[in-house]
Amino acid sequence: MIIRFSALGDIAMTMPVVHDLAVQYPDLEITMLSRPMAEPLFEKLHNNVHFLAADLNGRHKGLFGLNRLLKDIHFRDFDYIADFHDVLRTQWLRFVCRLFGKKVTKIDKGRKGKKALTRQKNKVLVQQATSFERYAKVLEQLGFPIKPEFVKLDYSAFCETQKMPNETWIGIAPFAKHPAKVYPLEKMEEVIKALSEKENTTVFLFGGGEEEKRHIAELCAKYPNVQAAHSQQGLKGELALMGQLDVMLSMDSANMHLASLVGTRVVSIWGGTHPYAGFLGWNQNPSDCIQLDLPCRPCSVYGNKPCFRGDYACLNGIAPSQIIEKLVGHE
C-alpha cells in the first residue's frame, strides 16, 4: 500500500513512480490510498494497481476516523506500507501497521536542504532531490528498486473535441493556491489577449474554483478564440484536452503536473518557489521555467509564505512579452 494524501499536484507526482513499480513488478498487487479526487488518475494505470479513497473530512476524520479507515481498507492484508507523505495522519497509520508486523518505510522530505534553500540569508542554491526520486527511494527501502521508464498516459478516449492539423492549442492555468505562485492576473490577461489574436490559435483556460470559473468566463467573453477548459467528463476530460495541447502555461501548481503526465510541454512561472526544491513537472525542461534571479528567491518551498518584501517582485517583474516569447518561440 502506498499512502499519499495532500493536494492533487502532489498526488499526481506519484504516478510515474507507481507506474514503473507496476510495470517492473507485475506480480505485485499495489494499492494507492489517497483522496477521492485522485481516483481518475489511477484508472489508466495497470491491472495490478488499485485505489482506495480516504474520506478525511468525514468518515475517516480524526484519530477515531483513522482507526476506522484501517478497518475499512483491511490493512492486515498488506505486506508492505510505503508512506509518501509523512504527516501526522500517515504517521499514525504507519505506527499501527508496524505494530502488526508490516514492513513500513517513509519519505525523506529533505527538510534541512530545503530550509537552507529558502532562508533569507546565506542561501544554499542547490538542486534538491525531486519528489520522484524521493518516492522511488521509499520503494527501494522496501526492497523494490525501480528504473525510471514512465513516458506519458493516454486519455484520448475521453476527448470531447479534436484538434485539426493546422490548429495551435495553448493551455493556460493562471491560478494557484498561494499568492506567491500566482502571476498577476492583469499581466496574464495581456498574455491571453496576445495569444488569442494569433491565427489558427485557440487558448484554453484551466481553473476549478468558483471564483476561478467566474474569471475565466469573463476572459472568454472578452477575447476571441479563448475557451474554458471545463470538461463534462471531469478530470479525465481535462487530461484528454491537455494531451492535445501544443504547450501549457502554468504556475508551480497541479496543472503543471497533470500536463506532464500526458506528455505535454509546460512553460511554468515561478515566483516565491523554485524548481530547485524538487517539484518541477515530470520530464519538463528547466529551460522552460520562467523566473527572476532575485536574492530573496526562493522564500518558500510551497509558496505558502507571504512576501516579506511586500511587493512580490519575483512575479511582478516578469514581463508578459517574456512569457509570450517562451510560448510561441518554439514554432
Side-chain angles (χ1 to χ4, degrees):
M1 179 168 64
I2 297 172
I3 308 172
R4 177 75 216 206
F5 301 136
S6 192
L8 185 59
D10 297 310
I11 300 168
M13 293 182 78
T14 69
M15 292 192 63
V17 176
V18 176
H19 170 278
D20 291 345
L21 179 66
V23 171
Q24 293 165 33
Y25 297 90
D27 295 330
L28 190 66
E29 292 297 320
I30 304 162
T31 296
M32 187 74 191
L33 177 63
S34 189
R35 293 181 180 270
M37 63 180 176
E39 185 168 6
L41 293 176
F42 294 89
E43 291 178 3
K44 295 297 292 183
L45 290 184
H46 297 269
N47 292 334
N48 59 334
V49 177
H50 317 284
F51 187 88
L52 289 174
D55 181 13
L56 299 176
N57 296 318
R59 177 174 173 80
H60 303 136
K61 182 178 181 180
L63 182 59
F64 290 107
L66 290 176
N67 290 333
R68 190 178 295 120
L69 173 62
L70 287 165
K71 293 180 181 179
D72 289 348
I73 65 176
H74 304 289
F75 78 97
R76 297 191 191 192
D77 293 342
F78 295 97
D79 301 297
Y80 305 92
I81 311 296
D83 182 0
F84 280 11
H85 202 172
D86 191 26
V87 292
L88 286 175
R89 287 189 181 104
T90 63
Q91 288 165 12
W92 176 253
L93 297 177
R94 287 200 326 259
F95 172 73
V96 175
C97 289
R98 190 178 287 110
L99 283 180
F100 282 82
K102 310 301 179 182
K103 187 170 183 180
V104 178
T105 57
K106 67 179 180 67
I107 189 172
D108 175 5
K109 293 185 175 180
R111 289 186 175 91
K112 183 177 180 180
K114 290 175 181 176
K115 183 176 181 180
L117 178 68
T118 57
R119 62 194 180 199
Q120 291 188 25
K121 296 181 180 180
N122 302 316
K123 289 181 180 293
V124 181
L125 293 174
V126 174
Q127 176 68 56
Q128 303 299 299
T130 68
S131 291
F132 311 108
E133 293 167 335
R134 296 186 189 279
Y135 294 152
K137 186 67 175 179
V138 176
L139 299 178
E140 181 182 344
Q141 291 170 346
L142 278 180
F144 301 99
I146 60 172
K147 298 177 182 178
E149 296 178 352
F150 176 81
V151 179
K152 65 178 181 179
L153 297 175
D154 180 11
Y155 283 86
S156 58
F158 302 99
C159 288
E160 296 173 2
T161 55
Q162 195 70 38
K163 186 176 72 168
M164 302 304 292
N166 63 333
E167 290 183 307
T168 297
W169 284 9
I170 299 175
I172 298 181
F175 309 107
K177 183 177 181 180
H178 303 294
K181 290 185 173 184
V182 181
Y183 187 60
L185 293 179
E186 64 275 9
K187 292 178 181 286
M188 183 61 79
E189 186 170 344
E190 294 183 44
V191 175
I192 294 169
K193 178 178 183 296
L195 295 174
S196 72
E197 295 170 350
K198 289 181 61 63
E199 187 177 1
N200 296 326
T201 297
T202 302
V203 177
F204 293 91
L205 302 181
F206 292 78
E210 290 306 313
E211 182 64 21
E212 294 174 2
K213 291 179 179 179
R214 183 193 65 77
H215 192 71
I216 286 173
E218 292 175 355
L219 292 169
C220 292
K222 193 171 183 179
Y223 299 107
N225 307 316
V226 177
Q227 298 183 24
H230 310 312
S231 170
Q232 293 180 354
Q233 300 195 61
L235 179 58
K236 290 181 286 190
E238 291 195 11
L239 286 164
L241 175 58
M242 288 182 185
Q244 296 188 77
L245 298 176
D246 293 276
V247 63
M248 165 73 94
L249 174 65
S250 174
M251 309 299 104
D252 169 21
S253 65
N255 283 293
M256 170 177 63
H257 300 295
L258 296 175
S260 300
L261 293 179
V262 293
T264 295
R265 173 185 173 231
V266 179
V267 171
S268 51
I269 299 175
W270 300 75
T273 59
H274 197 289
Y276 275 5
F279 299 111
L280 183 61
W282 176 259
N283 274 345
Q284 293 301 329
N285 193 330
S287 67
D288 279 331
C289 297
I290 299 177
Q291 54 187 331
L292 297 180
D293 185 14
L294 297 175
C296 55
R297 286 192 65 242
C299 62
S300 173
V301 174
Y302 306 109
N304 54 341
K305 295 181 180 179
C307 175
F308 66 85
R309 290 173 44 137
D311 60 357
Y312 290 101
C314 56
L315 292 163
N316 284 301
I318 298 173
S321 58
Q322 183 180 354
I323 298 172
I324 295 167
E325 173 61 26
K326 181 69 74 171
L327 287 171
V328 301
H330 67 291
E331 297 181 336

